Amino acid sequence: MRPGKRGLLTTALTVVCAVTVLSAPGTAFASVAPAPTQKAAPTPTATPAPAATPAPDKDLEEVREKLDRLYHDAAVATDAYNAAEEKAKKQSAEIVALAKKIVEGRQKLEKLKDQAGAAARDQYRTGGLSSSVQFLLSDDPGQFLDGAGRVIQGQQAAKTLMAEKARTQGDLQQYADDASDRWQQLEANRKAKAAAKKKIEKQIDAAEKLQSRLEKKEKERLAQLEREAANKAQTAWLDTGVLEDVHGKASAQGEKAVKYATQQLGKPYVWGAEGPDSFDCSGLTSQAWAAAGHPVPRTSQEQWKQLQRVAVKDMRPGDLVIYFSDASHVGMYIGDGAIIHAPRPGRTVTITGAGSMPILGVVRPDA
């Protein structure tokens, strides 16, 4: 029972006892001295409030299930945030590259305009291009210097100059259009990031408030129920005989990835983090494989979409185990039916049974 409810109960019991005393037979409202031969009756006392008792397992199980849903929704939103972040980084880099091309294109266009102006002046004065301009624009200076067909070469050079100028102008317009598109996409991703961040914080805040209402003993019992649920799922998974045919040996890169992940044990889960001091689930797996020299997608959903899938019976250390139907969680298989993963807010990077959560499938980064 929560402290607020205990206070209300104590108050209610006190009022009930007072009403009982006031309505009991022989009770008077005026102060009356007792007869000499009689002793004053003892004044009834209020019944003490019952001691707080932990919530029953049924209620705590409901709390556990609700927490799972809240943290799952936060994980989905975290994947959306990370995806938007990755797209924003890519789009920002593309915008910078386009800006550089635009600067270079403008410089080239100015040069072409100068050459075109010089050619126009030469044509006005001499009816053709100057030898210096023709030489600069010629694809074969040696042939030009032979002196054969200078008039024809001059006309061709003029056409080449105009075509190059038009092409450069077209390129500039395309760069500008592409940059505009990237800016719009970048803005859309910023909004997506903001929305995802808001949802993450809302879900985590709700989960933390729910846990804060529990007494110490209830929190301890809740943690025990969580362990029991994970162990039950792992035992059921192992009882299927799934590991009987799992004998895969880690690749050289897989060993490096497992080593990196293992070195992060005990570091806190922080949504959106990818090290070195904290991680979310896909931040851990993506950084582990980056350290192994084989970059993989940043999010668990993209890891599921893009990496080669393998059967559970064929998995080997270093492979990534994807969880839940929406691919919202990922861990790294380390052998003997176990994974290493960053679980959720309030937890640290840890080792647990690979079957402790619903498995969607297994993917191999270095297939």
Side-chain angles (χ1 to χ4, degrees):
M1 185 176 294
R2 302 187 185 92
K5 290 185 176 180
R6 288 200 302 271
L8 290 174
L9 180 56
T10 302
T11 303
L13 289 172
T14 303
V15 171
V16 168
C17 291
V19 170
T20 302
V21 171
L22 293 175
S23 60
T27 302
F29 291 94
S31 178
V32 180
T37 57
Q38 293 179 338
K39 293 183 179 181
T43 304
T45 57
T47 304
T53 56
D57 281 358
K58 180 181 178 181
D59 293 342
L60 287 176
E61 183 63 24
E62 291 177 356
V63 170
R64 185 187 71 80
E65 291 174 356
K66 187 172 182 178
L67 285 173
D68 283 347
R69 289 194 296 271
L70 289 170
Y71 282 124
H72 173 265
D73 290 346
V76 173
T78 299
D79 237 26
Y81 177 91
N82 290 336
E85 174 73 10
E86 287 299 294
K87 289 179 181 178
K89 288 179 182 177
K90 182 179 179 182
Q91 287 154 2
S92 295
E94 290 173 345
I95 289 172
V96 171
L98 286 168
K100 184 178 179 180
K101 287 183 178 180
I102 289 173
V103 171
E104 292 173 348
R106 286 175 177 169
Q107 292 173 344
K108 181 179 180 181
L109 186 60
E110 288 301 316
K111 183 178 179 181
L112 290 171
K113 284 180 179 179
D114 290 342
Q115 291 177 352
R121 289 191 295 271
D122 286 341
Q123 286 179 328
Y124 179 76
R125 289 196 304 267
T126 66
L129 295 175
S130 68
S131 58
S132 61
V133 173
Q134 292 182 49
F135 182 81
L136 288 171
L137 296 174
S138 175
D139 291 331
D140 189 352
Q143 183 183 4
F144 172 78
L145 292 174
D146 287 341
R150 289 192 177 185
V151 174
I152 296 176
Q153 287 182 9
Q155 292 173 345
Q156 290 176 342
K159 290 181 180 178
T160 300
L161 179 62
M162 294 301 104
E164 182 66 14
K165 181 181 175 183
R167 183 162 53 250
T168 301
Q169 288 175 324
D171 288 345
L172 278 171
Q173 185 61 52
Q174 186 62 54
Y175 295 153
D177 291 343
D178 288 346
S180 178
D181 289 342
R182 297 301 186 281
W183 274 114
Q184 291 178 6
Q185 293 172 9
L186 183 60
E187 183 61 24
N189 277 316
R190 283 174 177 167
K191 291 180 180 178
K193 278 176 58 180
K197 179 181 179 181
K198 185 176 181 180
K199 184 172 183 179
I200 293 167
E201 292 173 342
K202 179 181 179 182
Q203 300 300 319
I204 293 177
D205 183 61
E208 290 176 347
K209 285 182 178 178
L210 180 59
Q211 292 176 93
S212 69
R213 297 173 189 152
L214 300 176
E215 301 289 346
K216 181 180 179 180
K217 289 184 178 180
E218 292 173 332
K219 290 179 180 178
E220 293 172 351
R221 179 54 181 158
L222 177 63
Q224 183 180 350
L225 289 175
E226 290 173 348
R227 290 191 296 270
E228 289 175 356
N231 291 338
K232 182 178 179 181
Q234 174 73 354
T235 300
W237 184 66
L238 293 175
D239 286 347
T240 64
V242 66
L243 292 186
E244 292 177 2
D245 297 323
V246 177
H247 305 293
K249 183 179 179 181
S251 64
Q253 286 184 315
E255 288 181 351
K256 291 179 181 178
V258 170
K259 181 179 179 181
Y260 178 93
T262 303
Q263 290 172 341
Q264 314 314 313
L265 284 170
K267 292 186 177 180
Y269 176 105
V270 175
W271 65 267
E274 47 188 333
D277 300 321
S278 56
F279 298 86
D280 62 20
C281 66
S282 57
L284 176 64
T285 54
S286 61
Q287 288 302 304
W289 272 100
H294 194 95
V296 299
R298 169 65 177 87
T299 69
S300 58
Q301 292 178 341
E302 288 304 311
Q303 289 170 4
W304 174 243
K305 289 179 183 177
Q306 297 185 34
L307 302 180
Q308 181 172 319
R309 300 176 187 181
V310 297
V312 172
K313 66 181 181 63
D314 297 324
M315 67 181 177
R316 65 191 188 194
D319 287 348
L320 305 182
V321 185
I322 309 297
Y323 293 95
F324 305 107
S325 60
D326 52 9
S328 58
H329 189 70
V330 60
M332 179 179 292
Y333 187 65
I334 58 174
D336 296 325
I339 62 165
I340 184 168
H341 72 145
R344 72 185 196 193
R347 303 292 172 81
T348 61
V349 176
T350 188
I351 293 173
T352 191
S356 59
M357 297 169 284
I359 296 175
L360 177 60
V362 180
V363 294
R364 178 164 296 161
D366 61 339

